[in-house]
Amino acid sequence: MSAVIVSSEGCHLNSGCGFPAPSADIFFLEPYATLHIAGMDFVIGKTTILVALVALVISVFFLAAARPQRMVPGKLQSIGEQGYLFIRDQIAREVIGKDGDRFVPFLGALFFFVWLSNLMGVIPGAQFPIMSSLAFPVALTLVVYATYLYLGMKHQGPIKFFSAAMFPAGVPKAMYILLAPLELLQLVVTRPVTQAIRLFANMFAGHLLITTFTVGAYYLLSPSIIGALGSATSFGVTVVLTGFEMFIQFLQAFIFTLLTAVYIGGSLHAEH
Amino acid sequence: MKADGTDLPNSDDTRATADMAWRSVSNLTAGMLLYGGLGWLIGRKVGHQSAFMATGLVLGIVLALYLTYVRVSNMDRDLTNDRRNEQQ
């Protein structure tokens, strides 16, 4: 965002230059350093640092919350327990059922990591939602994908797992020729792809929208009535959108985790 | 709710409904990708590329909707049977 603002410096409503609309370029941040290890380039940039920070914050918080287990919990322990119970009761038990408890650590780690990564989009100083870089939702989805495929094949057996998905009951046999490939594609390709894209696209669009109105407020700021009014409106919209974005950030983290639980539950219990 | 979750009702209803809702979206995507793509390929070989692709896309959507209909019917029947068994 700062790059756009710097490039548009001195560019205002009446200064003759057009509106410097932010593009997808704002998601390609300048790397701080590049490490060459074993013929591969490892880029250390803002995103890398933010990811490490998110992982550290979550680890430290839950370790600290779990450390002194008292019967009358302190503030930290209480917040930690609320977070744990939310995942256990609203997602794991609600969706997976009695087997859900053993997946709470996985689902909890996933939820809080995604949520905090998304929140980085509105935290001053960070202002970059990590999940708007496609690689991160894809990496998380691959972990989820491997988990539910493994669980499905382990609990139902590979043949039953795939055949239950590909050959639904109540369909004329001839229709399987058309439907089985569709179901296989759904299970193996579109299910993980839509899970990753949903998270990525929401974060990408939200960040772009907030940036557009922020730059708009800066661009319109000029000594004229239209400029002042336009700038104030654009700034107001930015504030409202930021609030809305925080809701979306939570919602997308919840949906990502809920879907993971749905897929895991489907792998554990055979379809009818 | 007990702490160990032993008093939990069967979560099949919740999961099946949630699964169905999300699944219909990826079924539609898969249908359009598969049969739209197939139509596109056939069109490349035979000619009339856009006609074949459009037909494939519509076929994909129709099949995905049919699949959703079948799955929902199956789910509805299973859940009704489960409830009936629980009552007996």
Side-chain angles (χ1 to χ4, degrees), chain A residues 88 93-98 165 169 171-172 175 178-179 183 185-186 190 198 255 259 262 265-266 269 271-272, chain B residues 1-5 8 11 14-15 18-19 22-23 26-27 30-31 33-35 63 66-67 70-71 74 78:
Chain A
R88 193 192 71 178
R93 287 185 178 178
E94 181 78 16
V95 178
I96 303 176
K98 287 161 192 160
V171 176
M175 285 297 281
L178 291 172
L179 294 181
E183 277 287 36
L185 190 73
Q186 188 272 134
T190 54
R198 185 177 292 117
I255 288 174
L259 276 176
V262 167
H269 311 277
E271 285 183 57
H272 297 286
Chain B
M1 189 188 287
K2 284 184 189 171
D4 61 354
L8 272 177
S11 70
T14 320
R15 195 190 57 255
D19 190 20
W22 295 108
R23 188 180 215 149
S26 42
N27 265 343
L33 263 179
L34 184 65
Y35 290 103
L63 286 173
Y66 173 65
L67 207 52
V70 169
R71 291 264 186 208
N74 288 350
D78 291 335

Side-chain angles (χ1 to χ4, degrees), chain A residues 14 33 36 39-40 54 101 103 117 119 129 131 168 174 182 184 197 212 214 222 237-238 252 254 269:
Chain A
N14 298 323
H36 306 282
M40 284 188 284
V54 166
D101 282 16
F103 294 102
S117 299
L119 259 183
M131 295 300 155
L182 200 158
L184 185 67
I197 300 276
T212 304
T214 311
S222 51
V237 172
T238 309
Q252 285 307 318
F254 183 74
H269 311 277

Side-chain angles (χ1 to χ4, degrees), chain B residues 26-76:
Chain B
S26 42
N27 265 343
L28 273 172
T29 321
M32 287 194 281
L33 263 179
L34 184 65
Y35 290 103
L38 217 61
W40 180 80
L41 269 179
I42 295 171
R44 259 177 75 110
K45 294 269 178 209
V46 188
H48 308 289
Q49 201 163 352
S50 32
F52 273 107
M53 192 177 153
T55 314
L57 281 172
V58 173
L59 180 71
I61 294 171
V62 170
L63 286 173
L65 290 177
Y66 173 65
L67 207 52
T68 308
Y69 168 75
V70 169
R71 291 264 186 208
V72 171
S73 311
N74 288 350
M75 182 181 83
D76 200 36

